[in-house]
Amino acid sequence: MAIQLPIEASREAFLLAERQDEMATFEAGLGDNGSPLACRRDQYRRIAKYYAAWHASGPEQRNLLANAARHYALCEEYPTALKLYLKVGEKEIDNAIEVVGKARSDALTHTLIDYLMGEQDNVPKDANYVYRLHKALGNYMQAAGTAHIIAKQEQEMGNYKQAHQLLFRTYQDLKSQKLALPQELWRRLMLLHSYVIVKRLVKAGSAHATRLRLVRVAKNIQQFPAHVVPILTSVVIECQRAKMPGESYQYACTLMKPEYRKDVSEQYKKKIENIVRKPPPEAESRDALEASLPCMYCGFNFAESQLDCLGPKSA
């Protein structure tokens, strides 16, 4: 329950807490609605100075410095709060981002960006912090651009779930703000989504849906450099099961290229070699082509696994 005290009584309570080293007890009695705004700010400022002084007089007690920063933020002294959070280090970056988001100051924004870029210690911080900073500032399109760069890096390292989660969260953020999703970001999200749900589709026995998404990924295999061979192997096997000899043959030939052949699992190598040795008749391949669907905008038919319509766009 918040304590509502006159300003002088509040100051006396603070001094008593300071003498008895009971600042945590004094803090617990404060509340947003317990005192007038001017009084609360004065209380937060005194507490901030108390923790800052304790830190300065003692050994490295970063939690005290973080407490000081938090109370400077509560009394809206954002430059001091940011300075102290950055002094504490990376563990307080999320709080530093919150401070800059509230301050909406170009100077503080540039200070934090310089820190994140490693201008102070030559150690660039996780790019996710830049993404969060743009969100805190309400710069959703800039945040989307940063998210796309991060997702691309994660995808190249084979961290597909992390990349997918980040892009899906970005999609939700943009949708909540009624902003359009950039085409490149949407395309990458769809490819990652096609990949991450394959295992579920296999377990569900959805052969057609599995093959469709694997072929879509295979057509964009350059975006999955860490797992080219396993992905294409799965495509060959699933296309065989789905009686799609043309596509199975196409990706089997890719796997037999010198740069990939050595990494093909022994479990499947012989089977893939046999597929390459016996190309399917042209008529059989043509009859087994995947289904085409009309574009919802221009009516042009294109392969079901394809993401982009290549036909003439309607005005």
Side-chain angles (χ1 to χ4, degrees):
M1 181 176 178
I3 300 172
Q4 186 167 359
L5 296 174
I7 293 178
E8 288 303 320
S10 175
R11 288 176 179 172
E12 289 178 10
F14 171 82
L15 292 174
L16 179 61
E18 187 177 35
R19 286 196 299 269
Q20 300 296 325
D21 193 19
E22 289 290 344
M23 195 56 64
T25 303
F26 178 75
E27 284 183 71
L30 298 178
D32 288 345
N33 300 313
S35 307
L37 179 60
C39 182
R40 292 203 307 274
R41 285 180 176 170
D42 181 67
Q43 292 167 338
Y44 293 141
R45 189 176 295 108
R46 286 171 173 271
I47 295 171
K49 291 179 179 178
Y50 168 83
Y51 283 124
W54 262 94
H55 175 270
S57 63
E60 284 295 317
Q61 300 179 62
R62 293 182 179 274
N63 58 325
L64 295 179
L65 200 59
N67 267 341
R70 181 167 63 87
H71 285 89
Y72 275 122
L74 286 170
C75 65
E76 299 181 7
E77 294 189 14
Y78 297 128
T80 305
L82 178 62
K83 179 181 177 181
L84 295 182
Y85 276 137
L86 296 185
K87 191 172 181 180
V88 173
E90 193 164 350
K91 63 178 288 189
E92 292 295 334
I93 289 182
D94 284 333
N95 286 323
I97 289 172
E98 183 180 350
V99 163
V100 172
K102 289 178 178 177
R104 299 300 172 99
S105 159
D106 289 343
L108 295 189
T109 299
H110 290 313
T111 296
L112 182 53
I113 288 176
D114 285 346
Y115 176 84
L116 295 176
M117 295 296 104
E119 294 292 330
Q120 297 179 9
D121 54 9
N122 294 318
V123 181
K125 309 304 181 290
D126 189 335
N128 277 286
Y129 291 128
V130 178
Y131 165 71
R132 293 176 203 167
L133 175 59
H134 283 308
K135 279 184 60 176
L137 292 169
N139 300 331
Y140 287 95
M141 294 309 294
Q142 290 92 326
T146 302
H148 187 250
I149 293 171
I150 297 169
K152 183 176 183 292
Q153 294 170 344
E154 293 285 0
Q155 188 174 350
E156 288 173 352
M157 293 187 292
N159 301 326
Y160 308 123
K161 286 186 179 180
Q162 292 90 325
H164 177 266
Q165 288 169 356
L166 175 59
L167 292 185
F168 184 67
R169 190 163 66 245
T170 302
Y171 157 74
Q172 291 177 311
D173 290 337
L174 292 178
K175 185 179 180 182
S176 71
Q177 299 298 313
K178 296 182 171 55
L179 295 171
L181 195 69
Q183 179 70 12
E184 284 189 23
L185 194 151
W186 172 83
R187 200 172 190 281
R188 189 173 297 276
L189 175 58
M190 290 299 99
L191 284 174
L192 285 165
H193 188 70
S194 294
Y195 178 82
V196 299
I197 66 170
V198 163
K199 286 185 179 179
R200 297 183 194 175
L201 294 173
V202 171
K203 288 182 180 179
S206 303
H208 174 72
T210 299
R211 183 203 56 76
L212 175 66
R213 281 153 184 81
L214 279 173
V215 169
R216 177 179 292 162
V217 170
K219 287 179 177 179
N220 297 274
I221 197 63
Q222 72 279 0
Q223 293 193 34
F224 299 83
H227 295 87
V228 171
V229 172
I231 290 173
L232 294 186
T233 300
S234 296
V235 173
V236 171
I237 301 304
E238 290 300 325
C239 284
Q240 281 288 102
R241 289 174 180 167
K243 301 189 186 306
M244 300 289 290
E247 288 174 335
S248 182
Y249 174 75
Q250 174 189 343
Y251 294 114
C253 288
T254 301
L255 284 171
M256 290 298 100
K257 291 181 179 180
E259 62 266 35
Y260 300 133
R261 183 169 187 158
K262 63 183 185 303
D263 296 322
V264 175
S265 169
E266 292 298 327
Q267 180 182 357
Y268 299 109
K269 184 174 287 186
K270 189 172 182 180
K271 183 173 185 177
I272 293 172
E273 288 173 345
N274 288 336
I275 292 173
V276 173
R277 290 193 190 103
K278 300 176 182 179
E282 185 178 342
E284 184 180 343
S285 298
R286 186 173 59 250
D287 292 341
L289 287 175
E290 65 177 293
S292 294
L293 297 175
C295 172
M296 62 185 296
Y297 298 108
C298 68
F300 182 83
N301 280 357
F302 60 98
E304 194 175 3
S305 64
Q306 193 170 307
L307 285 173
D308 304 309
C309 173
L310 302 177
K313 300 295 187 293
S314 56

